[in-house]
Structure formats: C-alpha cells, structure tokens
Amino acid sequence: MNAVYMLGIITNRGMRDKFIQFFKLHNIHVTLTVLGEGTAGSAILDYLGMEATSKTLYFAFVTWDTWKQLKKDLYTQVKIDIPGRGIAFLIPLGSIGGKKQLQYITVGQELSIEEESTLQNTDYELLVTIANAGHIETIMDAARHANAPGGTVIHAKGTGAEHAKRFLGISLAEEKEMVFIVVRTRQKNAIMKAIMEQAGTGSPAGGIIFSLPVTSTAGLRMLEEEDAR
C-alpha cells in the first residue's frame, strides 16, 4: 500500500522558488509555505553550522514512493546534509475528508489508497483544515457545534490552485489559513463532517481537512478529566 504522509521541510528563508521548483520536479504540486523564527540555542546552532535566522517551513503531501526518490534528491540536489541547509521529516496521515480531496493533494503521484486509512489506534488526533484566508470563524463555529475544543491558526501561502478546478470543481486562493485542533479520536468523524459541510470545498472557504495521529498529550485538562470519569 502506497501510504500518504505530510512532508515538512524547515530551512532558511529565501529558497522558496528553488523548493517549489524542486517539488514540481517530483510531482508535488500542492504545498504550503509558513514563515517562522528559529529558536535553537547558540551551542546547537554552532554545532549544526546554522545561523539564528528567519525560517521557512514547507508542508506538502507525498506517497512513500515519492518520498524515497525525494529523500535521495534532497541529498544530491539540495545538499540538505550540509550544515545549515535544513531538515526534512514525515508525519503519517490518519485520514482525509474525501477521495477527491486526497487525489487533489497528491496530484501527479501514483496512489493506491482509499480516503480513510487507520494508521494507529490513538486516543487523540490532530485535525488540520486548510482553507482560503478569511474563513476562520466559519471553520471554528462548525467545529464547536460538533463539540470540538479551541483551535490554533497559522497563515500560509499555497500552491496547486491550477489543479483545484480539475479535482474539486472550485478555484482556490493562494493565501491560506491552517487550523489545528486536537480532538478525541472518537469525535473525529463528527467534527470533520461538520467542517466539511460548513467550510468544505463546496463553500467559499474551500476547506480541505485531514487528521494526523497523536500518540500522547498533555495539557488537555477538560478532555482528560472527562475521559477519566
């Protein structure tokens, strides 16, 4: 089974055009770019040969077969093993809201998996909604009506809008917002359904939602207390 993962790459800013082209060469057309700041201590930075500079985090969606070739080329073409160039990591997808949405985020890659895949039996999952900018309240209102807790918003810039019409029948904006919500696994389907109905690809929000398995949590006091009853 050619499982699907969320790929993350952290590197210094100023390399977006290079990475977007690199992704396209590997049939990765849907990506998200988020700006951030590095927080590593000077001793760690010295060890890695990195400067305390502004960072860019790239998110993309890859199959395992795509990752195998991509990983090789990160070393040979991007020289990611050179200190200061960056790091890359994979996170397995737990599920995605809709087969067309799955086909859209992996467009160009060989895929042999359904839209729902149970990867781990975890008590909690991280729901991630990617939507056009300006629709946070719609997303959170839908989630709250399904008894979801609060969420966290990250602003991002996306690619792959040219493929949205083909797979989703809609136009997507370049400016994106990513909403992260940690939920109980047993609540996941109801919350995903609520968001898809109110802020999914058939709405102005154009939202795509997927989940990532969470192996352990701390600080979710209200949810943990309810589970202990």
Side-chain angles (χ1 to χ4, degrees):
M1 182 178 291
N2 200 5
V4 181
Y5 300 82
M6 185 171 74
L7 166 68
I9 296 179
I10 303 173
T11 187
N12 291 334
R13 291 189 193 177
M15 300 180 66
R16 184 173 188 266
D17 290 343
K18 181 175 182 178
F19 268 102
I20 295 303
Q21 183 61 31
F22 178 75
F23 290 142
K24 287 183 177 179
L25 289 174
H26 291 82
N27 291 316
I28 301 172
H29 300 284
V30 178
T31 66
L32 294 155
T33 304
V34 179
L35 301 182
E37 300 290 337
T39 61
S42 59
I44 298 175
L45 293 170
D46 290 342
Y47 178 79
L48 297 175
M50 300 177 71
E51 297 179 354
T53 59
S54 299
K55 303 294 181 183
T56 300
L57 172 57
Y58 302 98
F59 289 120
F61 303 91
V62 298
T63 64
W64 182 252
D65 289 345
T66 298
W67 166 247
K68 287 190 292 185
Q69 184 59 53
L70 179 76
K71 183 178 179 180
K72 291 179 182 178
D73 291 343
L74 281 171
Y75 284 103
T76 60
Q77 298 179 21
V78 180
K79 310 296 184 184
I80 202 165
D81 54 328
I82 295 175
R85 190 56 60 92
I87 61 171
F89 56 90
L90 286 187
I91 303 173
L93 260 66
S95 61
I96 179 131
K99 190 170 183 178
K100 288 184 178 180
Q101 285 77 359
L102 175 61
Q103 293 172 330
Y104 166 64
I105 64 174
T106 58
V107 57
Q109 302 178 59
E110 186 176 347
L111 190 65
S112 56
I113 188 172
E114 297 300 321
E115 66 267 25
E116 182 76 19
S117 172
T118 301
L119 298 173
Q120 297 185 38
N121 292 320
T122 57
D123 292 329
Y124 294 90
E125 296 201 25
L126 173 65
L127 299 189
V128 182
T129 303
I130 303 170
N132 294 329
H135 297 276
I136 297 303
E137 288 304 316
T138 302
I139 295 167
M140 289 309 305
D141 284 347
R144 291 188 190 102
H145 283 136
N147 298 315
T152 299
V153 180
I154 295 178
H155 301 282
K157 182 172 289 187
T159 65
E162 66 273 20
H163 299 285
K165 201 73 175 178
R166 172 186 168 192
F167 287 95
L168 307 177
I170 59 171
S171 298
L172 294 179
E174 186 181 50
E175 297 299 322
K176 299 291 181 185
E177 284 167 332
M178 303 174 67
V179 184
F180 295 81
I181 310 173
V182 177
V183 303
R184 295 188 190 88
T185 299
R186 65 174 182 267
Q187 293 180 292
K188 178 190 71 173
N189 290 339
I191 296 170
M192 290 181 71
K193 181 180 179 181
I195 295 174
M196 290 167 63
E197 288 177 348
Q198 299 298 319
T201 52
S203 73
I208 295 173
I209 183 169
F210 58 91
S211 71
L212 307 173
V214 173
T215 56
S216 185
T217 65
L220 298 176
R221 181 176 177 181
M222 293 180 63
L223 297 183
E224 290 166 350
E225 287 178 346
E226 289 180 12
D227 286 342
R229 292 173 186 171

